[in-house]
Amino acid sequence: MAENKVSNDLSTKLEDNELVITRIFDAPRDLVFKVWSEAEHLENWWGPTGFKLSVKELDFRPGGSFHYNMQSPDGYEMWGKFVYHEIETPERIVFVSSFSDPEGNIVRAPFSAAFPMEIRNLITFTETDGKTTLTLRGGPIKTKATEEEQTFFKGMFESMKQGFGGTFDQLDEYLTKVDQ
């Protein structure tokens, strides 16, 4: 289990072939949860740094989905999808994420045929003294991912750490601008 302290409020580690990221946000838990659950908020911070996010659908309930498009500054597009499995407001969200096509069908990652088709994610939100600790734990669904996909995912640790670090930096900045 390797752990990295990226900044004062972000830590990442690989544990049981799952990426585990913990970040402290200077905002109340209700607000941090809210910006994960509403399209007008997600459009302002979710995704790689520099990409523009467009929400095609957000049905935030167990069995519902979040279907979105990300566009790079040079026009490159990627589609993604979450399918929500559990939601306990404002404590946790469990969802499966995948790359998709514009119609919402699950597809291979555009950068590798070895990236797992589906990643199970568990996000927990805890509040202490008005600050929220968010922990994201995500990894390939073991019963669906091949050995090659699981190994590839593990090899993506540094890239995912950097990507989520940027996404969470955007979330941190957005939280300073949004009202409860």
Side-chain angles (χ1 to χ4, degrees):
M1 173 174 65
E3 181 165 358
N4 296 313
K5 198 73 167 167
V6 177
S7 69
N8 290 338
D9 57 0
L10 176 75
S11 69
T12 59
K13 63 185 173 182
L14 193 60
E15 181 178 273
D16 299 327
N17 206 29
E18 290 183 321
L19 175 67
V20 181
I21 301 174
T22 302
R23 173 85 180 238
I24 299 170
F25 295 96
D26 190 11
R29 176 171 73 169
D30 287 344
L31 178 60
V32 179
F33 189 91
K34 179 180 181 175
V35 301
W36 277 87
S37 64
E38 297 177 1
E40 60 269 22
H41 294 301
L42 284 160
E43 287 180 330
N44 287 287
W45 66 269
W46 177 254
T49 303
F51 279 63
K52 179 180 177 358
L53 184 91
S54 300
V55 176
K56 184 167 182 179
E57 174 192 33
L58 178 61
D59 182 7
F60 189 70
R61 63 174 178 80
S65 66
F66 169 40
H67 184 211
Y68 58 93
N69 174 275
M70 298 179 290
Q71 188 171 38
S72 71
D74 64 2
Y76 177 73
E77 286 190 342
M78 286 188 294
W79 287 87
K81 183 176 183 177
F82 297 176
V83 175
Y84 297 105
H85 289 255
E86 298 174 40
I87 297 171
E88 294 176 28
T89 306
E91 296 153 9
R92 66 189 252 141
I93 304 170
V94 178
F95 62 95
V96 172
S97 62
S98 57
F99 287 92
S100 76
D101 64 17
E103 289 74 43
N105 300 303
I106 295 172
V107 299
R108 285 275 170 202
F111 53 85
S112 173
F115 191 81
M117 294 283 282
E118 296 179 299
I119 304 295
R120 181 189 182 274
N121 299 276
L122 164 63
I123 302 173
T124 56
F125 305 83
T126 56
E127 184 174 343
T128 305
D129 299 326
K131 295 184 181 208
T132 301
T133 301
L134 181 151
T135 301
L136 179 138
R137 176 181 285 274
I141 299 173
K142 291 181 174 109
T143 59
K144 293 185 176 185
T146 66
E147 193 69 37
E148 177 187 17
E149 290 171 336
Q150 291 183 42
T151 300
F152 186 86
F153 181 85
K154 195 175 197 176
M156 294 277 305
F157 177 70
E158 288 301 319
S159 176
M160 290 184 294
K161 179 176 74 171
Q162 182 179 3
F164 275 108
T167 297
F168 285 177
D169 285 347
Q170 292 172 160
L171 172 56
D172 193 47
E173 182 181 336
Y174 181 67
L175 286 166
T176 67
K177 300 174 187 174
V178 66
D179 292 326
Q180 255 184 303

